[in-house]
């Protein structure tokens, strides 16, 4: 094991996690942010991350290039609801695995995660359009990997970030999280008369 890779990977994932926590606080999901990416410290994910650490991109990409798949990523996406890949299910009609709509609180965390990841990997080259550009260039949109409503909401938030900046984007995320929470309470009968 290369100690440089060990400390570099540990520093990168911890810095990223702390940045996501700060972003989640701005988004109104602080407690959720505290649990963000804890699985990255598990042996399955951590040691693959050390092995493929490069510092300027996700080690999962390097692992995929080397072996054809990323065991760390498969472990990660199955345990972290802020990844759209978690939100798939068997469709009884089509007999395929299809995307399902993400609840707003996890979409909000995904937004926070994407902004933080762009900042960590782009470093001094980061600007507020980077998360949108990355998403627009990803194959996920072309493959229909996201539920259409999830994709539309994420695009709206990334466009607000790109055009109006972080303050406006996080204000909108916080508003949407609050509306979604209120809707859930009404559906469960906790709130009456719109209060």
């Amino acid at each position: 094991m290369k100690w440089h890779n060990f400390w570099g990977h540990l520093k990168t994932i911890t810095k990223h996690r702390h940045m996501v926590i700060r972003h989640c606080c701005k988004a109104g999901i602080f407690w959720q942010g505290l649990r963000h990416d804890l699985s990255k410290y598990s042996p399955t994910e951590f040691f693959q991350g050390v092995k493929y650490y490069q510092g300027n991109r996700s080690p999962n990409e390097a692992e995929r290039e080397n072996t054809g798949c990323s065991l760390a990523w498969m472990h990660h996406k199955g345990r972290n609801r802020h990844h759209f890949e978690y939100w798939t299910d068997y469709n009884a009609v089509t007999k395929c695995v299809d995307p399902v709509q993400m609840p707003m609180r996890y979409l909000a965390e995904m937004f926070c995660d994407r902004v933080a990841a762009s900042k960590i990997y782009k470093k001094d080259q980061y600007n507020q359009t980077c998360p949108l550009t990355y998403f627009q260039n990803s194959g996920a949109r072309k493959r229909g990997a996201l539920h259409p409503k999830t994709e539309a909401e994420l695009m709206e938030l990334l466009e607000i970030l790109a055009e109006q900046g972080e303050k406006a984007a996080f204000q909108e995320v916080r508003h949407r999280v609050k509306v979604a929470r209120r809707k859930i309470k009404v559906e469960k009968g906790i709130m009456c008369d719109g209060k």
Side-chain angles (χ1 to χ4, degrees):
M1 176 188 317
K2 296 179 183 174
W3 288 107
H4 172 266
N5 285 14
F6 179 91
W7 294 113
H9 182 61
L10 180 61
K11 180 180 172 186
T12 299
I13 64 174
T14 302
K15 184 176 178 183
H16 168 75
R17 188 171 174 284
H18 289 171
M19 188 176 293
V20 173
I21 292 169
R22 286 193 300 275
H23 289 341
C24 284
C25 187
K26 292 178 187 179
I29 53 171
F30 175 72
W31 294 109
Q32 189 174 322
L34 287 178
R35 295 185 305 274
H36 181 81
D37 276 357
L38 288 175
S39 70
K40 283 189 178 179
Y41 299 92
S42 70
T44 302
E45 293 181 37
F46 185 78
F47 290 111
Q48 290 298 93
V50 170
K51 181 176 181 180
Y52 292 102
Y53 172 76
Q54 297 169 334
N56 61 351
R57 65 181 186 146
S58 170
N60 297 338
E61 292 178 28
E63 182 184 7
R64 240 178 245 114
E65 290 167 3
N66 190 46
T67 67
C69 69
S70 172
L71 297 176
W73 170 247
M74 287 190 278
H75 185 271
H76 187 75
K77 71 177 175 124
R79 286 156 182 79
N80 294 278
R81 295 178 183 184
H82 64 276
H83 289 289
F84 67 83
E85 293 89 346
Y86 177 95
W87 296 94
T88 59
D89 199 3
Y90 178 76
N91 184 321
V93 176
T94 65
K95 310 291 187 219
C96 296
V97 174
D98 291 334
V100 296
Q101 187 173 0
M102 288 178 74
M104 177 49 69
R105 68 185 219 169
Y106 297 114
L107 192 147
E109 186 179 352
M110 178 170 62
F111 174 82
C112 295
D113 185 44
R114 287 175 177 272
V115 174
S118 292
K119 289 177 178 179
I120 296 296
Y121 289 121
K122 288 286 192 178
K123 297 179 177 134
D124 294 338
Q125 296 175 355
Y126 174 81
N127 65 56
Q128 62 196 33
T129 65
C130 289
L132 175 62
T133 302
Y134 179 81
F135 181 64
Q136 287 174 324
N137 294 333
S138 75
R141 295 189 70 205
K142 297 173 187 137
R143 294 188 317 270
L146 287 89
H147 187 278
K149 288 185 179 178
T150 298
E151 181 179 338
E153 285 186 292
L154 179 60
M155 278 296 295
E156 287 172 10
L157 295 172
L158 293 172
E159 287 170 350
I160 292 169
L161 174 67
E163 296 166 10
Q164 300 174 38
E166 272 193 28
K167 185 175 181 181
F170 282 112
Q171 186 175 14
E172 180 63 23
V173 173
R174 188 180 199 96
H175 169 73
R176 290 183 188 201
V177 166
K178 188 182 277 188
V179 168
R181 281 184 182 145
R182 191 176 304 127
K183 183 179 176 187
I184 290 168
K185 287 180 180 180
V186 168
E187 288 172 357
K188 289 184 176 182
I190 297 170
M191 296 175 67
C192 298
D193 302 319
K195 295 181 184 176

